[in-house]
Amino acid sequence: MGKKALLPTIVVFATAMVFAGVPARAQDAPATQPAGNPSTTTAAAEATTQPAASRPAGPRPGGRGMPMSPTVTISGGRILTMDSKNQVINGGTIRIRDGKLGAVQSSAAGGPPQGARRRNPFFTFIDAKGRYVTPGLIDAWSAAGLDTGGPSAGGKASHSARDAINAFDSQVYAETIRQGVTSLCIEPPSGNGVAGLAAFVRLENPTDLDATLTENACLVIRVGLGRVGPFGRLNEIKALRTLFQSAKDHREAWEEYEEELEKYEKDLKSGKKVKLKKDDKEVAPEQGGKPTPPPPPDRRRGRRRPPRGDDAHASVRFPAAGIEGLYTYIPGAPRCDKHPWVQMVCCCPEDHGEDEVKCEHDHMDDVILPDWLTSNLNSGDSARKDDKKDGDFAKPELPARDADLEVLVQTLKRELRVRFEVHRPADILNVLEIVRDFNLNATISGASGGGYVADQLADSEATVLLSEFIPSASFEPTHLRDLRFDNVSRLRSAGVPMIIGSGRGGESGRSPYLAQLAALAVSQGLSRDAAMRAITIDAARLCGMDDKVGSLEKGKAGDVVVWKGHPLASDSVVEYVFIGGRQVYPPVEEGDE
Amino acid sequence: MTRAWHISLAAALLLAAATASARGDGLTYGIRAKGYLNENGQIVKSVTLVVKDGKITKIGKMSRAPEGAVVLDRSTYYIGPGMIDVLSSVGTMRNTGEDANAMEPAARAADLFNQWHADFQRAARAGITTLLIAPSSTNQIGGVTTIVKTAGADAAHRLLGDGPLKLSLTSRAFNQDRVPTSLQGLLAELRRRIAAARADRKDESAFARWARGETTALVDVDDAADLSILARFAEEETVHCIALHGNYAAERLDEMKSLKQPVVLGTYEFTDPLRYTRAPGILESAGIDFILTSEPPRYAPELLRVGTTIAMKGGASRKAALASVTTSAAKLIGVEKRVGKIAPGMDADFVIYTGDPLRLTSAVHEVFVSGERVYSREAEQDARNGGGE
């Protein structure tokens, strides 16, 4: 009760609004609408156009011609819009209607407008004088509601974090909201290797996963966490290269198939009897065809001897070394186009051009691969299996389907971002090389040793997602041992864009502490503006959600927080949180006046 | 460029002169700051702090510097009191447990003080100027704690003296190889020893003085059940006990009230469950003092200041959050007359921050212990960039 005296004036004209987000009601409401009928209300029509995985996060349309969602007016506050101009509007007004933001007005509304109640009984007016008003904070790296233990090894590319979220972990979600965070990008838990797809969740109704905006905000891959021995590291990096390469092969196999299918159908239509001459292709690749990939190597065979003497003009070399010590890494040597981790050096370049240098394609035998990758590789191999056919012509054979490789193919097409959690500076450089070679749209998360390779990170144009700021005080060798107090300032001097997420510590995540983590980053050299953007609009952009959330701009989701004090100040507390125009903090009790 | 060099040389000389004063050659210096954090958690604007012989002699608005004093200009910075951490094992290489015996009432943490250990510098860098070094909680009676300053070359001046006795009810204190092996066995043994100490009036050991109710002991606990047991035991035996790691205190308010003592909470991290982080606010409204610890070097000392902000976000006031790492902490370990606040007569232990000391956005800029500058962020940056030349 004593606390209420501190709150600014709140005038709630009707209380029925509190039911707007109760799941039972929310589910009832659309049932009254004819499903899929394009002539229903606007909101329902929007619902039908949304992809299946992202049903509208805003309020459901109500029956009886009455909006279930209240109109909210927040007036007189210091509005940090977080828009592209980074506008700060003192004493402005924002309105949320039907769950969406209206344009920010530069003057205070003089109180609830005349007749507001008659027009809309679900009307909330908040006098935010002397308060800060911001978009709901966005945690670009959250583990809220996850059992962070997760599998100790990697998962698969098609694994989805959404399947691991405990939506009933209501306490952590309630506290997350209480600290002004309204959207989370939840990463799948895993050990080293491919973790799976991260989900982007608006906390509109944490127990209702339909509020998930997307299930594939990015693909998460973890490298070099925990105690990794030297050979473990070599294998990890090599395994990643192999994985992306098999995705590349998969993509090519499908593209080839589609090309051939098109040709086949065209020929079939023209009534011609066609012959598919695979041999022609092999001897004349320059005529537009592609060389047939070699048969997949049989890994059960013994280790192959390296080519030697005059028999081999090219010898195969392994950058990862460690293989009988015979090979050395030669920078700048040409790479096999099928297996880019293989470098080829010819002993007699004067005899022929570089074109003749061939990869033996047998080196796969020499690589010890972790199980998770082997399975990925096998599926990749089957995908590019030589489509040998009986008879003269046939419909091209359908390459094998592989859900994991298909996810990876999306990353190669830059349709899906890849987020590498990697900490050690040397590991970061290895990952950046993979990013460059496969032209990935990459984020480097963790990056606790990023300061050491800040220039390389800046050159790579990758975004860095930080979550740790205090170096460990103990001697235990963890992946965080390269963290220094000047990590942030070094990254900033190099011009590396930084996003701040809460990371994956804690029993059920530490999203509630997002603003304090951003404050720590400020103490270490990040500007206040950059830190605010790192937990709002820039975080939204990193997750591909900047068209929906992250700033106070017309048409975006009505996720708004009213703060007593600047959001980054440790002694400032959250007074109101609206998600989709619905007040979620302080929680509105049934029957409250 | 030459001129700039002269200025920096002059500044260096000034500072050398200023820090020399800490060793008692009578020099006085002042620090002009944008504001300082008083013991109520309020910022008092534009002040000058005057230090003489390692003590604070004046704080407040001053039209001019005292006679003969050099004045360091920190007028864009804020001064906060040096923080106190009431539970640590810094510099002891963790050799603070006695594996063979469950009870070591005569053990003294002071014997383990290693003033050169690098973890002291790390603690000072985090703004902590006073530490209590405690025997390990693997002993049921751990022994006598000691209180030290985190910096200064002279070991004798850094020791503030012995602190309270340390006991432990935690599961770590029990071991099948030594008696007592159970909590009830421990309490029975404590009762016997208390009775013996009361019978022998001449026994002036730390344990006997605690047993007679003259001093307070720090008692490590695991959970809410331990808190209840401790409260009952203290009431029956009329001894004074302060719970360490009493993170469940907010769920045992009645017991905490019957203990009539503050409670030590921690270590607060960004990963803590709500039942911990809400405790400070709840305890404050119930009128129970709370004190925070970061337990260096097991946890990072920076977490002490982080803890104050977690407490505030969970509902504690600025005043209580500040007191939990300064005045209340000093009182808990009996050094409140020397350290814990910025006031005339107190040790010149203070921290220069880039902003409000209670905000995480502010960085520690400089740290002074007993009037001597022991950390400078600029010097650290210069060193990292390959020397200041």
Side-chain angles (χ1 to χ4, degrees):
Chain A
M1 283 294 108
K3 197 179 169 193
K4 270 207 165 158
L6 296 169
L7 302 176
T9 329
I10 167 167
V11 190
V12 181
F13 283 88
T15 55
M17 54 164 280
V18 303
F19 298 112
V22 175
R25 278 290 187 97
Q27 280 159 15
D28 288 347
T32 63
Q33 306 283 348
N37 186 343
S39 67
T40 49
T41 62
T42 324
E46 271 173 22
T48 58
T49 57
Q50 297 276 350
S54 53
R55 286 212 242 139
R60 274 46 159 202
R64 300 178 298 280
M66 189 176 279
M68 289 292 283
S69 156
T71 297
V72 180
T73 304
I74 301 169
S75 166
R78 185 175 167 85
I79 302 174
L80 311 182
T81 60
M82 295 296 142
D83 63 7
S84 55
K85 289 181 208 149
N86 222 9
Q87 284 190 82
V88 176
I89 297 166
N90 264 319
T93 301
I94 52 167
R95 284 203 176 79
I96 314 171
R97 195 169 289 147
D98 293 331
K100 299 242 156 117
L101 290 170
V104 179
Q105 284 149 6
S106 56
S107 61
Q114 208 71 34
R117 190 180 176 184
R118 197 165 5 99
R119 283 201 304 277
N120 182 358
F122 307 101
F123 188 90
T124 306
F125 179 86
I126 285 181
D127 179 6
K129 205 167 282 173
R131 303 292 190 261
Y132 280 82
V133 180
T134 69
L137 305 186
I138 293 166
D139 187 353
W141 182 6
S142 171
L146 289 181
D147 170 13
T148 46
S152 57
K156 291 250 189 189
S158 59
H159 286 182
S160 172
R162 188 178 152 170
D163 297 336
I165 297 172
N166 177 8
F168 296 92
D169 200 343
S170 50
Q171 214 191 14
V172 66
Y173 291 119
E175 181 65 7
T176 301
I177 289 171
R178 208 187 93 105
Q179 302 295 353
V181 181
T182 57
S183 297
L184 308 170
C185 180
I186 301 182
E187 288 194 0
S190 87
N192 288 331
V194 175
L197 296 164
F200 192 87
V201 183
R202 260 177 83 213
L203 292 175
E204 185 205 21
N205 186 355
T207 57
D208 176 9
L209 282 181
D210 284 340
T212 306
L213 283 182
T214 176
E215 284 182 57
N216 45 4
C218 61
L219 175 68
V220 179
I221 297 177
R222 304 200 164 100
V223 182
L225 304 187
R227 288 168 193 241
V228 183
F231 286 97
R233 262 177 221 287
L234 298 179
N235 282 335
E236 266 185 55
I237 297 293
K238 188 190 289 283
L240 276 183
R241 274 200 176 278
T242 314
L243 182 64
F244 279 107
Q245 185 56 40
S246 50
K248 202 171 169 187
D249 294 345
H250 185 79
R251 179 186 181 182
E252 279 165 9
W254 272 90
E255 281 170 0
E256 189 181 344
Y257 162 77
E258 273 153 19
E259 213 170 273
E260 284 177 8
L261 188 68
E262 200 181 321
K263 187 163 176 277
Y264 165 81
E265 281 170 348
K266 206 171 124 196
D267 289 347
L268 209 65
K269 254 184 203 165
S270 67
K272 268 193 279 179
K273 197 171 179 183
V274 210
K275 282 187 179 181
L276 285 179
K277 286 176 186 170
K278 295 209 67 70
D279 289 350
D280 288 353
K281 275 187 176 180
E282 275 189 10
V283 292
E286 66 280 1
Q287 283 168 11
K290 279 175 160 292
T292 312
D298 182 355
R299 247 179 297 286
R300 282 164 301 186
R301 272 184 302 165
R303 178 172 287 185
R304 286 283 297 254
R305 292 202 156 275
R308 55 174 79 173
D310 293 339
D311 294 333
H313 285 294
S315 68
V316 180
R317 303 201 180 229
F318 300 90
I323 303 202
E324 294 178 1
L326 281 172
Y327 309 106
T328 47
Y329 176 70
I330 304 209
R335 286 166 184 268
C336 168
D337 63 347
K338 274 269 168 258
H339 305 102
W341 64 91
V342 174
Q343 288 187 316
M344 294 165 296
V345 178
C346 181
C347 55
C348 48
E350 64 280 3
D351 290 352
H352 48 71
E354 241 180 39
D355 295 347
E356 286 179 54
V357 179
K358 286 212 177 74
C359 169
E360 292 287 305
H361 291 304
D362 289 332
H363 40 70
M364 296 293 287
D365 300 345
D366 294 317
V367 184
I368 303 155
L369 297 168
D371 287 345
W372 63 268
L373 177 68
T374 315
S375 58
N376 273 319
L377 264 185
N378 286 340
S379 45
D381 289 343
S382 61
R384 55 161 198 267
K385 206 170 269 172
D386 197 8
D387 43 345
K388 289 231 188 309
K389 289 167 285 285
D390 300 324
D392 283 331
F393 88 101
K395 192 176 173 183
E397 202 177 308
L398 195 67
R401 283 257 173 222
D402 186 294
D404 300 313
L405 288 178
E406 278 159 24
V407 170
L408 287 159
V409 167
Q410 285 184 52
T411 68
L412 295 177
K413 293 178 179 167
R414 294 177 71 90
E415 293 166 2
L416 181 67
R417 288 152 211 263
V418 196
R419 192 181 282 181
F420 292 95
E421 181 181 353
V422 51
H423 293 265
R424 259 179 39 145
D427 291 346
I428 293 174
L429 291 184
N430 282 333
V431 166
L432 288 180
E433 202 171 306
I434 292 176
V435 168
R436 189 195 61 211
D437 290 352
F438 291 94
N439 190 26
L440 303 171
N441 186 353
T443 306
I444 302 296
S445 69
S448 52
Y452 290 91
V453 291
D455 291 337
Q456 291 92 325
L457 278 166
D459 290 345
S460 77
E461 290 173 6
T463 302
V464 162
L465 174 54
L466 300 174
S467 79
E468 296 290 342
F469 300 95
I470 300 178
S472 162
S474 64
F475 305 107
E476 284 147 32
T478 68
H479 55 274
L480 295 179
R481 68 180 172 184
D482 292 306
L483 181 58
R484 299 283 183 274
F485 284 109
D486 62 348
N487 199 34
V488 169
S489 61
R490 285 194 192 198
L491 289 170
R492 196 192 66 163
S493 318
V496 179
M498 280 176 269
I499 311 291
I500 294 159
S502 68
R504 56 205 193 95
E507 277 173 26
S508 51
R510 46 184 212 175
S511 292
Y513 300 106
L514 184 64
Q516 293 191 60
L517 290 166
L520 266 182
V522 171
S523 79
Q524 298 183 357
L526 195 63
S527 78
R528 215 169 255 263
D529 277 348
M532 273 308 289
R533 295 181 78 80
I535 54 175
T536 54
I537 185 66
D538 288 354
R541 193 172 298 117
L542 189 75
C543 305
M545 288 292 148
D546 49 321
D547 56 334
K548 295 190 177 69
V549 291
S551 62
L552 298 177
E553 286 173 281
K554 194 179 174 187
K556 285 202 179 182
D559 301 355
V560 182
V561 184
V562 180
W563 306 74
K564 193 181 172 186
H566 191 279
L568 296 180
S570 309
D571 48 357
S572 105
V573 290
V574 169
E575 282 187 339
Y576 293 100
V577 181
F578 293 90
I579 301 185
R582 191 168 65 87
Q583 183 180 329
V584 290
Y585 181 82
V588 187
E589 300 296 333
E590 197 174 321
D592 244 19
E593 283 300 318
Chain B
M1 189 164 150
T2 321
R3 196 171 161 225
W5 189 84
H6 279 303
I7 288 170
S8 68
L9 180 72
L13 285 175
L14 273 182
L15 201 70
T19 54
S21 70
R23 303 194 186 101
D25 56 8
L27 253 173
T28 305
Y29 68 94
I31 293 184
R32 196 179 296 124
K34 196 171 181 184
Y36 92 101
L37 186 64
N38 71 11
E39 62 177 308
N40 295 321
Q42 295 152 336
I43 298 281
V44 180
K45 289 269 169 93
S46 41
V47 292
T48 303
L49 173 75
V50 182
V51 175
K52 189 182 180 188
D53 294 340
K55 296 273 183 191
I56 295 168
T57 57
K58 253 183 197 170
I59 177 77
K61 288 186 174 43
M62 253 160 264
S63 49
R64 58 190 192 85
E67 201 73 16
V70 289
V71 174
L72 305 176
D73 184 15
R74 297 289 181 271
S75 52
T76 56
Y77 296 93
Y78 291 81
I79 306 176
M83 292 188 289
I84 300 162
D85 198 320
V86 298
L87 185 60
S88 87
S89 56
V90 169
T92 61
M93 302 299 285
R94 299 185 188 170
N95 290 330
T96 52
E98 173 54 62
D99 289 344
N101 298 329
M103 300 185 171
E104 282 291 344
R108 290 180 72 237
D111 295 338
L112 293 177
F113 177 47
N114 167 13
Q115 78 260 37
W116 305 113
H117 201 284
D119 285 345
F120 282 114
Q121 178 62 19
R122 171 85 188 254
R125 190 190 185 290
I128 299 174
T129 52
T130 303
L131 278 176
L132 178 132
I133 301 174
S136 159
S137 289
T138 55
N139 284 106
Q140 294 158 9
I141 302 177
V144 185
T145 59
T146 194
I147 301 158
V148 302
K149 293 281 184 81
T150 51
D154 185 350
H157 278 94
R158 282 175 62 181
L159 279 166
L160 293 189
D162 282 350
L165 186 71
K166 164 112 188 278
L167 307 178
S168 171
L169 307 186
T170 65
S171 56
R172 288 190 293 146
F174 299 100
N175 178 337
Q176 287 308 309
D177 302 333
R178 59 189 199 192
V179 286
T181 60
S182 67
L183 185 51
Q184 70 270 32
L186 162 60
L187 296 178
E189 178 64 22
L190 281 179
R191 285 195 166 99
R192 269 196 293 278
R193 287 181 183 232
I194 288 171
R198 284 176 179 167
D200 180 6
R201 283 269 152 202
K202 283 180 205 148
D203 187 352
E204 280 300 312
S205 71
F207 183 88
R209 295 187 59 215
W210 170 69
R212 293 199 293 267
E214 296 164 22
T215 59
T216 306
L218 301 173
V219 186
D220 204 352
V221 298
D222 271 338
D223 50 23
D226 284 353
L227 277 176
S228 305
I229 291 166
L230 178 64
R232 214 158 49 227
F233 180 83
E235 194 169 9
E236 285 169 14
E237 295 295 323
T238 60
V239 287
H240 305 304
C241 298
I242 292 168
L244 298 176
H245 299 118
N247 293 345
Y248 292 91
E251 292 159 39
R252 290 288 185 276
L253 281 181
D254 291 340
E255 284 89 340
M256 294 316 302
K257 281 176 185 161
S258 87
L259 264 179
K260 296 188 191 70
Q261 295 288 347
V263 58
V264 179
L265 309 173
T267 300
Y268 276 3
E269 290 187 274
F270 288 124
T271 52
D272 276 324
L274 288 179
R275 58 196 318 178
Y276 290 8
T277 56
R278 284 295 154 72
I282 296 169
L283 291 168
E284 187 188 357
S285 352
I288 298 163
D289 281 351
F290 64 92
I291 282 115
L292 295 177
T293 174
S294 65
E295 271 181 275
R298 195 164 149 213
Y299 296 95
E302 289 76 16
L303 290 175
L304 191 59
R305 198 154 67 94
V306 166
T308 64
T309 68
I310 290 177
M312 287 188 285
K313 288 277 186 190
S317 68
R318 275 176 73 93
K319 184 183 177 182
L322 172 67
S324 74
V325 294
T326 56
T327 47
S328 298
K331 211 172 149 207
L332 182 90
I333 57 178
V335 290
E336 72 275 18
K337 294 217 169 85
R338 285 193 61 181
V339 296
K341 61 182 173 186
I342 294 175
M346 305 295 283
D347 285 10
D349 297 353
F350 54 90
V351 182
I352 311 282
Y353 291 94
T354 55
D356 178 349
L358 285 179
R359 291 191 175 173
L360 279 189
T361 44
S362 314
V364 172
H365 186 68
E366 285 170 300
V367 179
F368 289 76
V369 175
S370 304
E372 192 176 349
R373 188 172 79 161
V374 299
Y375 169 74
S376 155
R377 191 172 57 137
E378 279 168 2
E380 186 181 77
Q381 280 163 357
D382 284 349
R384 194 173 284 133
N385 298 334
E389 295 304 309

